[in-house]
Amino acid sequence: MKKKKMIDVFSEARFGMFIHFGLYSIPAGIWKGKEQGRNRYAEWIKYQANWPDGGAISDAEYNELAAEFNPVKFDADQWVWEAKNAGMKYIIITTKHHDGFALWDSKVSDYNVVKMTPFKRDIIRELKNACDKYGIILGAYYSHWLDWEHEFGAEPHWPEIPEDPTLEIVSNEKYEIYFQEKCIPQVTELLDDYGIRLFWFDSWQASPLLTESRLEELINLVHSRGGILNSRIGTTWNHHKKDEELVDFLSMLDNVFPDSKIAPPWETSGTFNDSWGYHALDFSWKDSNDLLKKLISNASNNGNYQLNIGPHADGSIPAPSIRRLREVGAWLAVNGESIYNTTCADLPIVEWGKLTMSKDGTIFAHVFENNPKLSLVLRGINKMPKKVEILETSQQVAFDYVNKCLILTMPKESIQTELNVIKIEF
Ligand code: FHN
């Protein structure tokens, strides 16, 4: 069988796992007994531990975390199994987040898990092997713009608290040294030594450092090996010519779920709670139905959902994430047909749920509301359906077809079940 192109696999994937894991997983949002302030993204603790009093954690103090990093419960097989079981098709992990610390045995910089920690194991290598075993694509989040370890990487600077930070205090010439000395060679390693072909670069505002020539160099590098990459490399925000032609898929800003259709391929990356990296005081876990609604909503608009986990410093996945991943997986195990290989249904929107459509024209109506008297109306239907049933139970759904309107009456037994899918075949 001909191997599918990476972009086609990604466009159809619909559900993926994002993982934020690194030195910041150790303090987990608490520094010297005090909860980190500002946006509570635990992976930002180096710059937010002391907010609003100013002052980052010094490099020396932050780097001491490396001597403590020993995720003995890290089990690549289990991480990938959880993703697979949840119905996810790919995993994107922070190979290097803004702190500059690499989760692989980088020859470019010793600031990495193998050279600096008692753990000494190559997390990316182990994950790649497990992903290959389970048929999951491994992708790399790589912080190309901010790098707080390299002398000349961009970093935040709070001149006047609580003003927003200037995200770079380095000159263009110096930044070029970082870019050529660390960013380009590390991305090359991930491509050539680890076989990674899916890249998620991270920027979210215009930056004079992310010049057209730098971005093109990085884009060309990834493309030269047949890899694909996302819009947050910076092109869209810099309004460069040909912006969207240069990148392979769009990434929304954090937790942004569009309410109308967008041309594929695109994805939303979202948190399980508030933080990306594990935060010990973040208990606002979204429930499984909320997560499923986000997945369904993006699928109904042609997009993927990339749900993040923030493993504990010991490498285990937090219990609330495990439970929800398995619940979402259980729903997908019986309703997956309404999500995978579907697109936007191109029908008038319905206020009671979301619609997807398979390649053969079958419509899947996802019912977000439950109400004993529920009668559901779908407009713009061109022909009389042959069969209408609840996907999970195969229970028949009564319907009337009048003036291009399909009026469905939910069977009374089914209305107690949340997130039913009605399959409408023609
Ligand atoms: O600053 C990062 C943040 O830590 C996290 O990695 C998210 C994920 O989308 N990206 C940036 C903020 O948008």
Side-chain angles (χ1 to χ4, degrees):
M1 206 173 76
K2 211 175 146 222
K3 220 172 146 225
K4 266 196 177 173
K5 279 206 210 132
M6 181 60 80
I7 192 60
D8 296 332
V9 177
F10 182 84
S11 306
E12 290 168 9
R14 288 293 172 263
F15 200 24
M17 179 179 273
F18 212 4
I19 304 178
H20 278 66
F21 189 50
L23 298 182
Y24 45 79
S25 310
I26 300 173
I30 302 167
W31 193 255
K32 298 190 173 154
K34 185 174 156 262
E35 186 184 358
Q36 128 194 32
R38 217 176 157 87
N39 68 6
R40 296 175 94 230
Y41 279 4
E43 66 279 5
W44 272 82
I45 196 156
K46 186 170 194 292
Y47 281 93
Q48 299 189 352
N50 301 319
W51 191 86
D53 307 320
I57 297 171
S58 70
D59 290 345
E61 223 181 339
Y62 188 82
N63 294 345
E64 281 171 18
L65 292 171
E68 268 182 66
F69 191 74
N70 198 14
V72 289
K73 293 192 181 156
F74 166 69
D75 178 351
D77 208 271
Q78 194 226 341
W79 283 18
V80 179
W81 183 88
E82 290 294 351
K84 176 103 182 169
N85 183 62
M88 294 162 157
K89 307 293 184 196
Y90 63 94
I91 292 176
I92 295 183
I93 182 166
T94 49
T95 56
K96 182 200 88 168
H97 201 263
H98 307 331
D99 64 2
F101 184 78
L103 290 185
W104 77 96
D105 190 10
S106 175
K107 295 179 194 75
V108 174
S109 157
D110 285 354
Y111 197 55
N112 72 60
V113 64
V114 174
K115 307 233 170 55
M116 299 275 294
T117 77
F119 191 55
K120 296 193 190 318
R121 278 163 49 191
D122 187 327
I123 290 179
I124 301 305
R125 177 78 66 208
E126 291 184 28
L127 271 176
K128 180 72 171 77
N129 292 341
C131 280
D132 289 348
K133 170 177 155 190
Y134 285 102
I136 295 276
I137 290 161
L138 183 66
Y141 167 110
Y142 185 89
S143 176
H144 64 309
W145 175 36
L146 298 190
D147 188 303
W148 304 336
E149 182 262 343
H150 193 282
E151 196 185 350
F152 303 132
E155 55 187 316
H157 173 54
W158 273 261
E160 300 268 337
I161 308 280
E163 272 182 14
D164 265 350
T166 311
L167 281 162
E168 45 228 358
I169 48 174
V170 63
S171 70
N172 195 42
E173 291 67 35
K174 286 184 170 161
Y175 188 73
E176 182 64 10
I177 298 175
Y178 150 74
F179 202 74
Q180 298 304 337
E181 214 172 74
K182 188 166 180 185
C183 177
I184 292 285
Q186 283 199 326
V187 171
T188 307
E189 276 186 340
L190 291 168
L191 283 160
D192 293 350
D193 301 347
Y194 291 78
I196 290 179
R197 294 290 179 271
L198 169 59
F199 281 84
W200 205 100
F201 293 110
D202 198 359
S203 71
W204 56 93
Q205 63 186 51
S207 161
L209 295 177
L210 297 179
T211 56
E212 193 161 345
S213 66
R214 282 190 189 117
L215 293 178
E216 284 196 8
E217 185 176 357
L218 198 47
I219 291 169
N220 289 340
L221 171 64
V222 172
H223 284 170
S224 69
R225 312 297 202 272
I228 62 170
L229 55 100
N230 67 334
S231 58
R232 283 179 62 168
I233 193 164
T235 51
T236 302
W237 283 269
N238 284 306
H239 306 294
H240 291 156
K241 262 195 305 174
K242 296 195 296 179
D243 280 357
E244 293 182 10
E245 286 166 41
L246 291 177
V247 300
D248 303 285
F249 62 94
L250 293 178
S251 287
M252 301 295 118
L253 291 176
D254 299 1
N255 289 300
V256 171
F257 296 87
D259 51 18
S260 54
K261 86 168 171 183
I262 296 181
W266 62 270
E267 58 84 26
T268 297
S269 293
T271 45
F272 245 121
N273 39 11
D274 291 330
S275 180
W276 298 93
Y278 175 66
H279 192 304
L281 299 176
D282 180 359
F283 299 108
S284 40
W285 300 94
K286 298 171 182 78
D287 69 34
S288 302
N289 275 1
D290 184 9
L291 302 167
L292 276 167
K293 284 180 182 171
K294 290 177 162 61
L295 170 66
I296 295 166
S297 174
N298 271 18
S300 78
N301 289 322
N302 296 321
N304 290 355
Y305 180 24
Q306 203 166 289
L307 175 59
N308 179 74
I309 61 164
H312 292 130
D314 66 6
S316 60
I317 302 176
S321 303
I322 297 262
R323 171 158 81 80
R324 288 160 177 78
L325 285 171
R326 292 184 187 178
E327 284 171 355
V328 169
W331 185 91
L332 275 168
V334 291
N335 292 297
E337 189 189 340
S338 70
I339 298 292
Y340 305 117
N341 291 312
T342 64
T343 56
C344 166
D346 269 332
L347 291 173
I349 53 168
V350 292
E351 71 290 351
W352 44 264
K354 299 285 174 190
L355 307 171
T356 56
M357 188 174 71
S358 66
K359 293 198 174 78
D360 69 359
T362 300
I363 292 171
F364 297 96
H366 298 260
V367 187
F368 282 12
E369 276 174 17
N370 287 299
N371 178 331
K373 294 195 196 81
L374 202 63
S375 161
L376 308 170
V377 180
L378 269 120
R379 293 172 209 288
I381 304 288
N382 287 324
K383 39 180 180 176
M384 168 92 122
K386 283 205 182 99
K387 193 163 155 197
V388 182
E389 62 181 25
I390 306 275
L391 182 56
E392 184 175 324
T393 59
S394 302
Q395 189 175 13
Q396 299 299 301
V397 175
F399 64 91
D400 288 314
Y401 180 62
V402 192
N403 289 340
K404 292 197 168 188
C405 269
L406 192 59
I407 303 146
L408 310 170
T409 307
M410 288 290 279
K412 69 174 179 329
E413 299 86 351
S414 70
I415 53 185
Q416 303 307 335
T417 312
E418 288 190 59
L419 293 180
N420 267 308
V421 181
I422 305 172
K423 181 175 179 183
I424 305 164
E425 290 172 275
F426 297 91

